[in-house]
Amino acid sequence: MTQTLDIAVIGATGTVGETLVQILEERDFPVGTLHLLASSESAGSSVLYRNKNVRVREVDEFDFSKVKLVFFAAGPAITLSYAARAHAAGCSLIDLSGALPADQAPQVVPEANPEVLAGLKAPFQVSSPSPSATSLAVVLAPLLDLIDLQYVNVTANLAVSAQGREAVTELARQTAELLNMRPLEPTFFDRQMAFNLLAQVGTPDAQGHTLLEKRLVRELRQVLAKPLLKISATCVQAPVFFGDSLSVTLQSTSAVDLAKVNAALEDAPGIELVEAGDYPTAVGDAVGQDVVYVGRVRSGVDDPAELNLWLTSDNVRKGAALNAVQVAELLIKDLL
């Protein structure tokens, strides 16, 4: 492809933003000029791209008419502050924060619902789901023709990198302090994170559900086009730097054919099926990889209509940055 596209990445100094820039280079995305943007606190630093250090500038001063596409890889507040400005300048955007409503920016996972993009016109507004919703959608999409899916129960054991670089630093510090027999004083987390599991990620609402859990449910329904699907989600903070691991139970109305399920998972894009008797882990398999690993495929102990799965994937790479770039790859033919 000889044509190129001027693009911007907001949140370029964060874990997802840096990985997104790396993936743009790895996949030879047709970037003309790359604009890296962040808050005033991070402006002035630089990120390596194509063997050059690209200076990060302040997003508040940026003229969005200079680019055709922008990735919003910062938090919801940043998206809500600048998305309308970017759209008004004729700039298409892909948001990773979950801030925009589905009627403005539909949730897209290329392995699950690429057809959603067909009805859009530039300038586009598209959302890339949360990493846990993305990995679930990748795995559930090829099973929908095999299972009359009634109910999904997921326990998502989330890496601390989901909360940014500060959370990664905090886990490393806590681990070092405990291993060196020093007293522990939590700062980012409200209690010990190292060698521990925290039963919630974020503050629960009056019904006991966190924003991340509700986002997972909402986004999975949107991507699978099943607005009435019953989903129960529990997000657990795990003492892992990178890589989410999900325990998933699916309920069908009839007995599940495991041979057909395994065959569908084996053939589906974006999935690596681990053979029976083995299982994948975040650290040993998923981190740095571009697929969702699936293992422990089995029926219920006493219910043949129940299907249990174990999923693990790189939350920053596969679940966030790569999905956003794959969406962009499907869109750019209408932008160039």
Side-chain angles (χ1 to χ4, degrees):
M1 183 179 292
T2 56
Q3 290 181 291
T4 59
L5 195 68
D6 294 341
I7 69 172
V9 176
I10 299 176
T13 59
T15 54
V16 172
E18 283 191 352
T19 304
L20 201 154
V21 171
Q22 176 186 340
I23 291 174
L24 289 172
E25 180 175 352
E26 290 175 358
R27 295 175 71 90
D28 198 24
F29 194 88
V31 179
T33 300
L34 177 63
H35 300 268
L36 301 184
L37 309 172
S39 64
S40 57
E41 290 81 5
S42 299
S45 60
S46 61
V47 175
L48 186 66
Y49 178 71
R50 292 179 178 172
N51 297 317
K52 294 182 180 180
N53 287 315
V54 180
R55 189 176 181 83
V56 179
R57 290 183 289 166
E58 189 173 348
V59 61
D60 193 51
E61 300 174 353
F62 185 67
D63 178 5
F64 285 97
S65 65
K66 292 182 177 180
V67 297
K68 285 287 190 69
L69 175 66
V70 57
F71 294 93
F72 279 81
I78 296 298
T79 296
L80 293 175
S81 295
Y82 297 100
R85 195 169 108 186
H87 192 66
C91 179
S92 293
L93 66 90
I94 298 174
D95 176 47
L96 291 86
S97 74
L100 302 177
D103 59 344
Q104 294 182 17
Q107 303 285 342
V108 178
V109 175
E111 296 96 333
N113 66 335
E115 68 280 357
V116 171
L117 300 176
L120 302 182
K121 296 181 180 180
F124 309 104
Q125 289 192 131
V126 180
S127 295
S128 181
S130 62
S132 49
T134 296
S135 63
L136 270 171
V138 169
V139 173
L140 296 189
L143 301 181
L144 293 182
D145 290 336
L146 301 175
I147 300 174
D148 182 17
L149 189 58
Q150 300 295 303
Y151 176 64
V152 178
N153 186 301
V154 55
T155 298
N157 302 285
L158 305 182
V160 297
S161 50
Q163 301 197 54
R165 200 180 306 280
E166 188 178 356
V168 173
T169 300
E170 169 74 352
L171 176 57
R173 183 187 64 81
Q174 285 194 17
T175 302
E177 288 183 353
L178 290 170
L179 290 176
N180 285 281
M181 308 297 288
R182 292 195 294 262
L184 179 66
E185 295 183 5
T187 55
F188 183 87
F189 299 100
D190 65 352
R191 63 196 75 190
Q192 179 179 326
M193 180 71 257
F195 309 104
N196 200 11
L197 289 170
L198 306 186
Q200 63 189 42
V201 184
T203 302
D205 62 14
Q207 288 72 45
H209 305 293
T210 67
L211 285 175
L212 193 56
E213 290 163 347
K214 292 188 289 186
R215 180 184 176 188
L216 191 163
V217 171
R218 180 180 70 251
E219 292 176 341
L220 186 60
R221 285 173 174 163
Q222 291 172 12
V223 175
L224 297 182
K226 287 185 171 294
L228 300 180
L229 180 62
K230 295 180 180 179
I231 305 173
S232 175
T234 300
C235 291
V236 177
Q237 190 71 80
V240 176
F241 292 105
F242 295 91
D244 293 343
S245 298
L246 281 60
S247 176
V248 184
T249 297
L250 311 178
Q251 187 67 48
S252 180
T253 55
S254 57
V256 176
D257 188 324
L258 288 182
K260 290 183 178 180
V261 166
N262 280 296
L265 293 173
E266 186 75 45
D267 293 340
I271 294 174
E272 182 72 27
L273 179 64
V274 177
E275 62 185 19
D278 196 5
Y279 61 89
T281 68
V283 175
D285 300 287
V287 173
Q289 302 303 309
D290 292 345
V291 295
V292 180
Y293 286 82
V294 183
R296 300 214 65 204
V297 181
R298 63 203 189 280
S299 298
V301 172
D302 53 11
D303 185 357
E306 179 183 293
L307 177 64
N308 296 289
L309 307 167
W310 173 258
L311 321 181
T312 186
S313 63
D314 188 322
N315 59 303
V316 171
R317 185 177 178 89
K318 172 60 179 171
L322 177 61
N323 193 73
V325 173
Q326 287 177 311
V327 170
E329 289 172 343
L330 295 176
L331 289 172
I332 55 174
K333 64 181 184 297
D334 295 318
L335 294 177
L336 291 173

